[in-house]
Amino acid sequence: MSRTIMLIPIGGGVGLTTISLGMVRALERQGARAGFFKPVAQLRLGDQGPERSTAIIKNATNLTPPDPLRMHYAESLISSDQRDVLLEEVVARYQQYCSQDDVVVVEGLVPTRRSPWANRANIDIAKALDAEVVFVATPGIDDAGQLRERVEIAQSNMGGSKNKQILGVIVNKVGAPVDDQGRTRPDLSEIFEGSELQTHASTDSILKAFKHAKLPLLGCIPWTYDLIAPRVQDLVEHLRASIINEGDIKDRRLRSVTFCARSVPNMISHFKPGSLLVTSADRPDVIVSACLAAMNGVEIGALLLTGGFEPDESLMDLCKPAMDGGLPVLLVETNTWQTSLNLQAFNLEVPTDDPLRIEQVQDYTASHIDEAWIESLISGSERKRKLSPPAFRYQLTELARQANKRIVLPEGTEPRTIKAAAICAERGIARCVLIGNPEEVHKIAEQQGVTLGEGVEIIDPEQVRENYIAPMVELRKHKGLTEVVAEEQLEDEVVLGTMMLAQNEVDGLVSGAVHTTAHTIRPPLQLIKTAPGSSLVSSIFFMLLPDQVLVYGDCAINPDPTAEQLADIAIQSAESALAFGIEPKVAMISYSTGTSGTGSDVDKVRKATELAKSKRPDIVIDGPLQYDAAVMENVAKKKAPDSPVAGQATVFIFPDLNTGNTTYKAVQRSADLISIGPMLQGMRKPVNDLSRGALVEDIVYTVALTAIQSKQLD
């Protein structure tokens, strides 16, 4: 039986879509099957659809919520006294699409001048769906005490404390800058200079005010500028701007706006990463200065030229290196004053097609919703939960925080690595050590707008290299290593980082953003060696499918393992899966299932299966299995009806590197899913390799994996 939670706003501008996204993510983190339902579409003035919340949920999750009823249709039923017909249709859609979910998040209507009937409709829909109610509010210009009074009035209007269906309140946009009308006005631009932007209730004051309130506080979401940074392409669409140079228009985000009306020396301090520089097209001094800043590594968001005429071609040729480096240059017909007015009208809501920003909003909001309350919503569910991708990622970061490990990143001057280190420090995932010249590291960080806080340490290799010569000679003396050769090898930061790990100065190592797998793994194999009881080093990838996480091994290290090695890889992979919350059901993959095939390749898999079972009878292992028999229940019933693994495998062991690497990349690219790894298994200390195409988030999660591995080896 589904449990239904209806989010009902107290007033307008509470960020209802944000809370809906956060609720769904918080439920997914707990392994629940979450549902979402918006009964009636509520489009903003001028919005052509589709309905924003439903579209975002469809695009950002594996959920398929029903399309909401059109507002015009709902209003026609209400105006013709057919409210019961409206409610029946709402219930019918709910039953058709949401009845199998553990918890369904229902998003209510926002009361506006165009929809004065919204409050009444919310109450009726909540009753019709037998939904429990959670109010969503924002402080606006109220202090914490006034906010609490507003919430209690809303509770009173729905039956007061006698109504046990009202569960509590989530307060959003805490600490947001607001004008004297209580409207949220993010200080995105100098446009707002002189406006009396102010904040009222703080997180601490709200927590204190609701400590003994009639309704419990279920979430308190602080305002942050990081979640409102639009892409340059969003601004292009809003302004209907012409594109002089596309650059990184799809990836760069805007965090501030500067109107370049002063002399260049008085504006240079505003040439910052993420800044939109607005200037008249007849200001060549500003254009050249902005391009010089870009060529010096400052990742300016975009250059917006006003006035409608393109700058001189020779000037653009002079600035070509900056544009080749990714600087977007835009042109609008309006003058600077009209452009400033148009910018004020820019909608900072999350676009339906911006997956990165949606992901950030979901994770941030979910992290500020009471975890114990979310757990209580699904505690009575009898459905067996799968470890969903959001639950897996959340578990990674939580376990890494608890581990509190120190991880070395030898590629300390690589921009993605620097960003990842800052994120790890900010989230408390690990204490990262960057190897590199401190001045260069700080310069690259500043150019990217990255702040390296206390959780990031920078070690200058020139200052410490000689400290590891003697220990390295001692570790490799059986190979005849001399001090001269050791000093030469320590010029390589990966070797230096490996020695730091060997000397127990750090707890793990992550590399590979600019180095090959062999370059990353060779020094640890020589200096760290394998763990006791491990005959080899292998790897796994965590494949984040829409509804669960699977483990693939070995897809990165061993080209053609023997049956004995394949058995060890299966055992290592099962243990890794279990350590990260995945129930291991190991499928030994081959081109045939059971006894149907013959040949040396399938015989190897058959022998490996028998060896693995004899070594670890406590692990559920079966093979040989074809991939479709391992993953699809209907195929499993035909090909392997008696298998304890077929149709429900969570760990897939491939017979060789060619098969494993090809399969993981085919699945990843064809299904457009995220994979985390490779994570190395069998090392005495954790070392992990990155793909050279790794994104910043890939590095962050690999650091988290490494920290958790280190904790497990303690």
Side-chain angles (χ1 to χ4, degrees):
M1 185 69 180
S2 297
R3 192 163 178 183
T4 307
I5 305 299
M6 185 163 178
L7 302 175
I8 294 183
I10 301 176
V14 299
L16 203 56
T17 298
T18 295
I19 302 303
S20 295
L21 288 168
M23 277 287 297
V24 169
R25 176 53 50 87
L27 290 163
E28 288 178 328
R29 283 179 171 181
Q30 296 291 342
R33 179 172 176 173
F36 176 80
F37 182 36
K38 176 82 172 181
V40 179
Q42 194 170 24
L43 304 181
R44 284 182 172 270
L45 189 64
D47 196 347
Q48 300 301 312
E51 192 278 318
R52 183 177 296 272
S53 297
T54 304
I56 289 177
I57 290 289
K58 283 182 177 179
N59 292 344
T61 72
N62 64 320
L63 306 185
T64 54
D67 292 327
L69 299 170
R70 289 179 294 116
M71 175 66 78
H72 177 72
Y73 176 67
E75 288 177 331
S76 67
L77 290 177
I78 291 172
S79 64
S80 60
D81 201 24
Q82 298 185 73
R83 190 180 297 269
D84 289 345
V85 176
L86 173 63
L87 295 176
E88 287 171 14
E89 291 204 31
V90 168
V91 172
R93 290 199 177 205
Y94 176 91
Q95 292 294 342
Q96 181 180 355
Y97 289 93
C98 305
S99 59
Q100 299 303 311
D101 297 320
D102 290 337
V103 183
V104 181
V105 178
V106 178
E107 186 178 297
L109 289 155
V110 179
T112 66
R113 286 179 293 179
R114 297 173 62 205
S115 307
W117 47 270
N119 281 326
R120 170 69 186 278
N122 285 336
I123 294 171
D124 290 343
I125 291 171
K127 289 180 179 177
L129 298 177
D130 191 28
E132 295 167 289
V133 170
V134 173
F135 293 127
V136 180
T138 185
I141 59 173
D142 291 344
D143 61 29
Q146 292 167 328
L147 172 65
R148 173 177 162 176
E149 289 174 2
R150 273 201 291 126
V151 171
E152 290 177 347
I153 290 171
Q155 179 187 19
S156 177
N157 290 337
M158 289 189 65
S161 57
K162 293 180 181 179
N163 187 347
K164 302 304 179 184
Q165 292 290 89
I166 303 176
L167 300 183
V169 60
I170 295 175
V171 180
N172 193 21
K173 300 184 181 180
V174 177
V178 295
D179 61 18
D180 55 7
Q181 300 298 313
R183 295 171 298 189
T184 303
R185 295 286 297 271
D187 189 10
L188 189 69
S189 164
E190 290 180 348
I191 294 169
F192 299 113
E193 279 188 356
S195 299
E196 294 200 7
L197 299 180
Q198 51 190 319
T199 60
H200 293 267
S202 66
T203 299
D204 288 343
S205 66
I206 290 173
L207 292 173
K208 184 177 180 180
F210 279 85
K211 189 173 183 180
H212 302 293
K214 297 176 182 177
L215 275 182
L217 185 66
L218 304 176
C220 192
I221 323 296
W223 169 269
T224 173
Y225 287 96
D226 292 338
L227 300 184
I228 62 167
R231 300 166 297 188
V232 176
Q233 71 175 31
D234 300 324
L235 186 70
V236 171
E237 293 169 7
H238 170 71
L239 296 176
R240 295 186 177 89
S242 302
I243 300 173
I244 293 178
N245 186 63
E246 183 171 340
D248 299 330
I249 198 170
K250 296 180 180 178
D251 299 319
R252 292 205 181 183
R253 293 185 180 271
L254 304 173
R255 290 177 171 80
S256 64
V257 179
T258 293
F259 288 89
C260 302
R262 311 168 196 164
S263 64
V264 170
N266 291 321
M267 292 185 298
I268 288 177
S269 62
H270 294 276
F271 289 14
K272 301 177 293 187
S275 178
L276 174 68
L277 303 180
V278 185
T279 186
S280 174
D282 62 359
R283 288 288 304 271
D285 56 334
V286 175
I287 296 171
V288 170
S289 298
C291 290
L292 279 173
M295 285 186 280
N296 277 284
V298 180
E299 197 172 278
I300 290 170
L303 181 61
L304 177 61
L305 307 179
T306 65
F309 55 91
E310 294 192 23
D312 184 77
E313 187 175 338
S314 61
L315 180 66
M316 289 294 96
D317 288 340
L318 182 65
C319 296
K320 192 173 184 299
M323 291 186 281
D324 290 344
L327 175 65
V329 182
L330 317 174
L331 177 68
V332 290
E333 297 292 327
T334 52
N335 61 32
T336 302
W337 169 247
Q338 186 60 51
T339 302
S340 72
L341 297 178
N342 292 340
L343 283 170
Q344 289 190 65
F346 185 37
N347 184 357
L348 291 171
E349 288 185 341
V350 180
T352 59
D353 63 346
D354 189 347
L356 178 61
R357 195 168 156 202
I358 292 170
E359 183 81 9
Q360 290 174 331
V361 167
Q362 281 195 287
D363 280 338
Y364 180 81
T365 306
S367 67
H368 289 88
I369 296 175
D370 191 305
E371 187 176 336
W373 172 62
I374 293 293
E375 178 63 33
S376 73
L377 294 178
I378 56 179
S379 59
S381 173
E382 296 179 359
R383 184 180 67 85
K384 186 176 181 179
R385 299 181 201 168
K386 294 179 179 179
L387 189 67
S388 68
F392 179 72
R393 293 195 298 266
Y394 175 67
Q395 182 171 281
L396 279 187
T397 55
E398 286 300 300
L399 290 174
R401 286 190 189 103
Q402 295 169 17
N404 189 29
K405 294 297 182 178
R406 191 168 181 245
I407 308 300
V408 65
L409 305 175
E411 300 160 323
T413 57
E414 200 282 320
R416 290 166 296 167
T417 302
I418 293 171
K419 282 186 179 180
I423 292 171
C424 287
E426 182 182 352
R427 298 182 186 173
I429 290 171
R431 292 169 285 132
C432 291
V433 178
L434 297 172
I435 297 180
N437 180 278
E439 289 185 11
E440 186 178 356
V441 173
H442 281 297
K443 180 181 178 182
I444 295 171
E446 185 178 352
Q447 289 170 348
Q448 297 183 98
V450 173
T451 301
L452 297 177
E454 294 181 1
V456 179
E457 183 181 350
I458 303 170
I459 290 182
D460 188 344
E462 300 297 332
Q463 301 296 321
V464 301
R465 189 172 287 120
E466 65 179 22
N467 299 339
Y468 300 99
I469 296 174
M472 186 170 172
V473 169
E474 179 66 24
L475 284 172
R476 299 283 290 166
K477 63 183 179 182
H478 62 289
K479 292 291 185 179
L481 183 70
T482 65
E483 288 189 2
V484 173
V485 175
E487 184 175 7
E488 181 181 333
Q489 291 182 0
L490 283 165
E491 293 288 333
D492 184 336
E493 277 75 16
V494 177
V495 176
L496 180 60
T498 303
M499 279 305 303
M500 293 174 64
L501 182 59
Q503 294 295 102
N504 297 317
E505 295 174 5
V506 293
D507 302 301
L509 180 147
V510 174
S511 182
V514 293
H515 291 103
T516 64
T517 295
H519 194 139
T520 295
I521 294 175
R522 189 182 299 113
L525 287 175
Q526 295 173 342
L527 300 167
I528 303 295
K529 303 190 183 301
T530 57
S534 294
S535 63
L536 81 169
V537 173
S538 66
S539 72
I540 57 171
F541 281 87
F542 295 97
M543 307 296 288
L544 276 59
L545 274 63
D547 62 343
Q548 71 177 122
V549 179
L550 303 178
V551 173
Y552 282 10
D554 173 7
C555 304
I557 303 296
N558 297 284
D560 189 17
T562 64
E564 290 76 11
Q565 291 174 327
L566 203 57
D568 286 346
I569 291 170
I571 292 169
Q572 287 179 345
S573 301
E575 290 175 340
S576 293
L578 189 62
F580 287 90
I582 301 169
E583 182 183 358
K585 292 190 176 182
V586 183
M588 307 294 285
I589 301 299
S590 180
Y591 58 75
S592 72
T593 295
T595 58
S596 64
T598 58
S600 58
D601 290 339
V602 71
D603 288 342
K604 180 179 79 169
V605 175
R606 189 174 290 116
K607 182 180 178 181
T609 304
E610 293 169 357
L611 287 170
K613 284 181 176 179
S614 64
K615 287 183 177 181
R616 291 294 300 272
D618 57 310
I619 298 175
V620 181
I621 304 175
D622 197 19
L625 289 170
Q626 291 166 286
Y627 191 94
D628 58 351
V631 77
M632 300 176 67
E633 290 186 16
N634 58 337
V635 176
K637 289 177 181 177
K638 296 177 182 178
K639 292 187 175 182
D642 299 322
S643 171
V645 172
Q648 50 186 328
T650 57
V651 179
F652 297 74
I653 305 302
F654 297 97
D656 53 58
L657 185 58
N658 182 45
T659 307
N661 192 270
T662 302
T663 303
Y664 117 73
K665 286 187 176 177
V667 172
Q668 179 192 33
R669 299 306 179 189
S670 300
D672 192 25
L673 55 83
I674 296 171
S675 66
I676 298 177
M679 185 184 90
L680 303 189
Q681 310 171 127
M683 295 290 294
R684 190 166 58 87
K685 294 176 181 292
V687 174
N688 282 309
D689 179 40
L690 298 165
S691 164
R692 276 168 285 175
L695 302 175
V696 172
E697 283 297 298
D698 297 332
I699 301 174
V700 170
Y701 287 123
T702 303
V703 169
L705 284 173
T706 308
I708 297 167
Q709 281 183 296
S710 177
K711 180 68 174 179
Q712 292 164 351
L713 292 171
D714 285 350

